[in-house]
Amino acid sequence: RDEAARRARERDEAARREAARAREAAARERPSYNAAFAVNQRVEVRWRSGNQWFTGKITAIRGDRLYDILYDDGESEARVAESRIRRWVSTPHTGHK
């Protein structure tokens, strides 16, 4: 009987953790403010607040106008300020659409 109660508590806790993960994922996809960029949107970002712009895509919206970025070279950066991001525009020289 104690074993069955313990298993039930473990299942309940696992379900609560999974629900919390799902809420967090949904919050990253749908921020509470009007985000300037969307998940999977191609962008250019000033790497580590430098002067050069690098292409990549938004992988998560963190709120407070912060985004996670996956750069085209495979590097990633978390919690990038919206002010360091601009829309990426395809040009004939880039070969991307």
Short mmCIF file of all heavy atoms in Angstrom, two decimals, residues 28-57:
data_model
loop_
_atom_site.label_atom_id
_atom_site.label_comp_id
_atom_site.label_asym_id
_atom_site.label_seq_id
_atom_site.Cartn_x
_atom_site.Cartn_y
_atom_site.Cartn_z
N ARG A 28 8.10 30.97 -24.10
CA ARG A 28 9.18 31.36 -25.01
C ARG A 28 8.65 31.61 -26.41
O ARG A 28 9.14 32.46 -27.13
CB ARG A 28 10.27 30.28 -25.05
CG ARG A 28 11.14 30.27 -23.81
CD ARG A 28 12.37 29.43 -24.01
NE ARG A 28 12.10 28.03 -24.26
CZ ARG A 28 11.93 27.10 -23.32
NH1 ARG A 28 12.02 27.43 -22.05
NH2 ARG A 28 11.70 25.86 -23.64
N GLU A 29 7.65 30.84 -26.81
CA GLU A 29 7.07 30.99 -28.15
C GLU A 29 6.12 32.18 -28.23
O GLU A 29 6.01 32.80 -29.27
CB GLU A 29 6.31 29.71 -28.53
CG GLU A 29 7.18 28.48 -28.59
CD GLU A 29 7.87 28.30 -29.92
OE1 GLU A 29 7.38 28.84 -30.91
OE2 GLU A 29 8.89 27.60 -29.95
N ARG A 30 5.43 32.49 -27.14
CA ARG A 30 4.43 33.57 -27.14
C ARG A 30 4.70 34.49 -25.96
O ARG A 30 4.12 34.33 -24.89
CB ARG A 30 3.02 32.98 -27.02
CG ARG A 30 2.60 32.19 -28.20
CD ARG A 30 1.17 31.72 -28.07
NE ARG A 30 0.88 31.01 -26.83
CZ ARG A 30 1.14 29.73 -26.62
NH1 ARG A 30 1.68 29.00 -27.54
NH2 ARG A 30 0.83 29.17 -25.47
N PRO A 31 5.57 35.49 -26.15
CA PRO A 31 5.88 36.39 -25.04
C PRO A 31 4.68 37.26 -24.68
O PRO A 31 3.76 37.43 -25.48
CB PRO A 31 7.03 37.24 -25.58
CG PRO A 31 6.83 37.21 -27.06
CD PRO A 31 6.26 35.85 -27.37
N SER A 32 4.71 37.83 -23.48
CA SER A 32 3.61 38.65 -23.01
C SER A 32 3.62 40.05 -23.63
O SER A 32 2.66 40.78 -23.50
CB SER A 32 3.67 38.76 -21.49
OG SER A 32 4.90 39.35 -21.11
N TYR A 33 4.70 40.42 -24.31
CA TYR A 33 4.76 41.71 -24.99
C TYR A 33 4.79 41.46 -26.49
O TYR A 33 4.96 40.34 -26.94
CB TYR A 33 5.99 42.50 -24.54
CG TYR A 33 7.29 41.87 -24.97
CD1 TYR A 33 7.91 42.26 -26.14
CD2 TYR A 33 7.88 40.87 -24.22
CE1 TYR A 33 9.08 41.66 -26.56
CE2 TYR A 33 9.05 40.27 -24.62
CZ TYR A 33 9.65 40.67 -25.80
OH TYR A 33 10.80 40.07 -26.21
N ASN A 34 4.65 42.48 -27.28
CA ASN A 34 4.66 42.36 -28.73
C ASN A 34 6.10 42.26 -29.21
O ASN A 34 6.77 43.26 -29.42
CB ASN A 34 3.95 43.58 -29.35
CG ASN A 34 3.78 43.42 -30.83
OD1 ASN A 34 3.93 42.33 -31.37
ND2 ASN A 34 3.46 44.51 -31.49
N ALA A 35 6.60 41.05 -29.35
CA ALA A 35 7.99 40.81 -29.73
C ALA A 35 8.25 41.30 -31.16
O ALA A 35 7.42 41.16 -32.04
CB ALA A 35 8.32 39.33 -29.62
N ALA A 36 9.43 41.87 -31.36
CA ALA A 36 9.82 42.36 -32.68
C ALA A 36 10.20 41.22 -33.61
O ALA A 36 10.14 41.37 -34.83
CB ALA A 36 10.97 43.34 -32.54
N PHE A 37 10.60 40.07 -33.04
CA PHE A 37 11.06 38.95 -33.83
C PHE A 37 10.34 37.68 -33.39
O PHE A 37 9.82 37.61 -32.29
CB PHE A 37 12.58 38.77 -33.68
CG PHE A 37 13.34 40.01 -34.04
CD1 PHE A 37 13.82 40.86 -33.04
CD2 PHE A 37 13.58 40.36 -35.36
CE1 PHE A 37 14.51 42.01 -33.35
CE2 PHE A 37 14.27 41.51 -35.68
CZ PHE A 37 14.74 42.34 -34.68
N ALA A 38 10.33 36.66 -34.27
CA ALA A 38 9.63 35.41 -33.98
C ALA A 38 10.63 34.25 -33.95
O ALA A 38 11.70 34.32 -34.56
CB ALA A 38 8.59 35.15 -35.06
N VAL A 39 10.25 33.18 -33.27
CA VAL A 39 11.06 31.97 -33.26
C VAL A 39 11.22 31.48 -34.70
O VAL A 39 10.27 31.50 -35.48
CB VAL A 39 10.42 30.89 -32.36
CG1 VAL A 39 11.13 29.56 -32.52
CG2 VAL A 39 10.44 31.34 -30.91
N ASN A 40 12.44 31.08 -35.05
CA ASN A 40 12.84 30.61 -36.38
C ASN A 40 13.01 31.72 -37.40
O ASN A 40 13.33 31.44 -38.56
CB ASN A 40 11.90 29.52 -36.92
CG ASN A 40 12.03 28.25 -36.14
OD1 ASN A 40 13.14 27.85 -35.77
ND2 ASN A 40 10.91 27.61 -35.86
N GLN A 41 12.83 32.97 -37.01
CA GLN A 41 13.04 34.07 -37.95
C GLN A 41 14.53 34.27 -38.19
O GLN A 41 15.34 34.25 -37.26
CB GLN A 41 12.44 35.37 -37.40
CG GLN A 41 12.58 36.54 -38.35
CD GLN A 41 11.88 37.78 -37.83
OE1 GLN A 41 11.18 37.75 -36.83
NE2 GLN A 41 12.07 38.87 -38.53
N ARG A 42 14.92 34.47 -39.45
CA ARG A 42 16.31 34.76 -39.80
C ARG A 42 16.60 36.22 -39.46
O ARG A 42 15.80 37.11 -39.74
CB ARG A 42 16.56 34.50 -41.28
CG ARG A 42 16.26 33.07 -41.62
CD ARG A 42 17.29 32.24 -42.31
NE ARG A 42 18.48 32.84 -42.79
CZ ARG A 42 19.70 32.60 -42.26
NH1 ARG A 42 19.83 31.81 -41.23
NH2 ARG A 42 20.76 33.14 -42.77
N VAL A 43 17.74 36.44 -38.83
CA VAL A 43 18.11 37.78 -38.37
C VAL A 43 19.62 37.98 -38.52
O VAL A 43 20.35 37.05 -38.81
CB VAL A 43 17.72 38.00 -36.88
CG1 VAL A 43 16.22 38.02 -36.69
CG2 VAL A 43 18.37 36.95 -35.99
N GLU A 44 20.04 39.22 -38.30
CA GLU A 44 21.45 39.55 -38.15
C GLU A 44 21.63 40.06 -36.73
O GLU A 44 20.77 40.78 -36.21
CB GLU A 44 21.89 40.62 -39.14
CG GLU A 44 21.93 40.13 -40.57
CD GLU A 44 22.45 41.19 -41.51
OE1 GLU A 44 21.93 42.32 -41.48
OE2 GLU A 44 23.37 40.89 -42.27
N VAL A 45 22.75 39.69 -36.11
CA VAL A 45 22.98 40.03 -34.71
C VAL A 45 24.40 40.52 -34.54
O VAL A 45 25.33 39.97 -35.13
CB VAL A 45 22.76 38.79 -33.81
CG1 VAL A 45 22.93 39.15 -32.34
CG2 VAL A 45 21.42 38.15 -34.06
N ARG A 46 24.54 41.56 -33.72
CA ARG A 46 25.89 41.99 -33.34
C ARG A 46 26.40 41.02 -32.28
O ARG A 46 25.89 40.97 -31.17
CB ARG A 46 25.89 43.42 -32.81
CG ARG A 46 25.75 44.44 -33.92
CD ARG A 46 25.90 45.87 -33.43
NE ARG A 46 24.85 46.21 -32.48
CZ ARG A 46 25.06 46.66 -31.25
NH1 ARG A 46 26.27 46.85 -30.79
NH2 ARG A 46 24.05 46.92 -30.47
N TRP A 47 27.39 40.23 -32.64
CA TRP A 47 27.95 39.20 -31.75
C TRP A 47 28.57 39.83 -30.53
O TRP A 47 29.44 40.70 -30.63
CB TRP A 47 28.98 38.38 -32.51
CG TRP A 47 29.79 37.45 -31.68
CD1 TRP A 47 31.08 37.62 -31.28
CD2 TRP A 47 29.38 36.19 -31.15
NE1 TRP A 47 31.50 36.54 -30.55
CE2 TRP A 47 30.47 35.64 -30.43
CE3 TRP A 47 28.20 35.46 -31.19
CZ2 TRP A 47 30.42 34.42 -29.79
CZ3 TRP A 47 28.15 34.24 -30.56
CH2 TRP A 47 29.24 33.73 -29.87
N ARG A 48 28.12 39.44 -29.36
CA ARG A 48 28.67 39.88 -28.08
C ARG A 48 28.86 41.40 -28.01
O ARG A 48 29.88 41.88 -27.53
CB ARG A 48 29.98 39.16 -27.77
CG ARG A 48 29.85 37.66 -27.81
CD ARG A 48 30.29 37.01 -26.55
NE ARG A 48 30.26 35.57 -26.65
CZ ARG A 48 29.34 34.81 -26.07
NH1 ARG A 48 28.39 35.35 -25.36
NH2 ARG A 48 29.37 33.52 -26.21
N SER A 49 27.92 42.13 -28.54
CA SER A 49 27.89 43.60 -28.53
C SER A 49 29.02 44.24 -29.34
O SER A 49 29.33 45.41 -29.17
CB SER A 49 27.94 44.14 -27.09
OG SER A 49 26.80 43.69 -26.39
N GLY A 50 29.63 43.46 -30.23
CA GLY A 50 30.69 44.01 -31.08
C GLY A 50 30.11 44.84 -32.22
O GLY A 50 28.94 45.21 -32.21
N ASN A 51 30.94 45.11 -33.22
CA ASN A 51 30.52 45.93 -34.35
C ASN A 51 30.16 45.12 -35.58
O ASN A 51 29.59 45.66 -36.52
CB ASN A 51 31.63 46.93 -34.71
CG ASN A 51 31.83 47.96 -33.61
OD1 ASN A 51 30.88 48.39 -32.98
ND2 ASN A 51 33.07 48.32 -33.36
N GLN A 52 30.51 43.83 -35.62
CA GLN A 52 30.20 43.01 -36.77
C GLN A 52 28.84 42.35 -36.62
O GLN A 52 28.45 41.95 -35.52
CB GLN A 52 31.25 41.91 -36.94
CG GLN A 52 32.49 42.36 -37.65
CD GLN A 52 33.35 41.15 -37.99
OE1 GLN A 52 33.89 40.53 -37.09
NE2 GLN A 52 33.46 40.84 -39.26
N TRP A 53 28.14 42.22 -37.75
CA TRP A 53 26.83 41.57 -37.77
C TRP A 53 26.99 40.16 -38.33
O TRP A 53 27.70 39.96 -39.32
CB TRP A 53 25.87 42.37 -38.64
CG TRP A 53 25.53 43.71 -38.08
CD1 TRP A 53 26.22 44.86 -38.26
CD2 TRP A 53 24.44 44.02 -37.22
NE1 TRP A 53 25.62 45.88 -37.57
CE2 TRP A 53 24.52 45.39 -36.92
CE3 TRP A 53 23.40 43.28 -36.66
CZ2 TRP A 53 23.60 46.04 -36.11
CZ3 TRP A 53 22.48 43.91 -35.85
CH2 TRP A 53 22.58 45.28 -35.58
N PHE A 54 26.33 39.20 -37.70
CA PHE A 54 26.37 37.81 -38.14
C PHE A 54 24.95 37.29 -38.30
O PHE A 54 24.05 37.65 -37.54
CB PHE A 54 27.12 36.94 -37.10
CG PHE A 54 28.56 37.30 -36.98
CD1 PHE A 54 28.98 38.25 -36.06
CD2 PHE A 54 29.51 36.70 -37.79
CE1 PHE A 54 30.31 38.60 -35.95
CE2 PHE A 54 30.85 37.03 -37.69
CZ PHE A 54 31.25 37.98 -36.77
N THR A 55 24.75 36.42 -39.30
CA THR A 55 23.41 35.89 -39.56
C THR A 55 23.13 34.66 -38.69
O THR A 55 24.03 33.91 -38.33
CB THR A 55 23.24 35.51 -41.05
OG1 THR A 55 24.28 34.61 -41.42
CG2 THR A 55 23.28 36.74 -41.92
N GLY A 56 21.87 34.50 -38.39
CA GLY A 56 21.41 33.36 -37.61
C GLY A 56 19.91 33.35 -37.55
O GLY A 56 19.24 33.98 -38.37
N LYS A 57 19.38 32.64 -36.56
CA LYS A 57 17.93 32.62 -36.39
C LYS A 57 17.58 32.64 -34.91
O LYS A 57 18.36 32.23 -34.05
CB LYS A 57 17.29 31.41 -37.07
CG LYS A 57 17.57 30.10 -36.40
CD LYS A 57 16.80 28.98 -37.11
CE LYS A 57 17.01 27.67 -36.38
NZ LYS A 57 16.21 26.61 -36.95
#
